């Protein structure tokens, strides 16, 4: 799998800025309360956003794009089948469904 940048420059800069802000906030909170695991999780999430901004690749964006492409392909294939049924002349596909 080849990883190519899938976010823009501005998006990357925003991710780096907010990621560093979250890391700074969570580490300052961890100094006061080191027994709280939620600050550690927040620090990891902030670090992940910084890394996404640096490499300009977001796995969630990639998954969403692949899913939307798959849905579009499925819709296109379904439309083609519907057109073929309409051309066949059986008439069943042209009757609207009435669930009452």
């Amino acid at each position: 799998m080849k990883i190519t940048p899938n976010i823009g420059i501005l998006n990357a800069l925003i991710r780096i800025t907010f990621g560093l802000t979250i890391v700074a906030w969570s580490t300052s909170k961890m100094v006061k309360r080191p027994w709280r695991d939620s600050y550690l999780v927040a620090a990891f999430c902030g670090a992940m956003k910084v890394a996404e901004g640096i490499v300009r690749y977001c796995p969630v964006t990639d998954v969403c794009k692949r899913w939307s492409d798959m849905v579009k392909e499925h819709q296109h294939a379904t439309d083609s089948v519907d057109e073929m049924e309409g051309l066949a002349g059986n008439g069943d596909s042209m009757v609207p469904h009435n669930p009452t």
Side-chain angles (χ1 to χ4, degrees):
M1 179 172 89
K2 185 177 179 182
I3 297 176
T4 59
N6 63 354
I7 59 173
I9 296 286
L10 184 61
N11 192 335
L13 290 174
I14 290 170
R15 286 173 192 257
I16 292 170
T17 302
F18 282 115
L20 288 174
T21 303
I22 292 170
V23 168
W25 174 81
S26 62
T27 53
S28 68
K29 292 292 187 178
M30 275 194 291
V31 169
K32 285 185 171 183
R33 298 183 180 132
W35 61 87
R36 300 284 303 263
D37 292 334
S38 60
Y39 297 132
L40 185 62
V41 171
F44 280 132
C45 290
M48 184 179 66
K49 290 297 162 191
V50 171
E52 289 174 1
I54 291 172
V55 298
R56 292 185 50 209
Y57 176 77
C58 178
V60 175
T61 303
D62 191 31
V63 168
C64 290
K65 178 153 177 37
R66 288 177 192 235
W67 182 76
S68 67
D69 290 345
M70 185 177 66
V71 168
K72 286 178 187 176
E73 288 176 8
H74 178 71
Q75 182 65 32
H76 179 68
T78 305
D79 290 344
S80 298
V81 169
D82 289 343
E83 287 175 6
M84 290 170 55
E85 286 177 355
L87 291 176
N90 59 5
D92 293 337
S93 62
M94 296 300 193
V95 178
H97 176 67
N98 189 358
T100 56

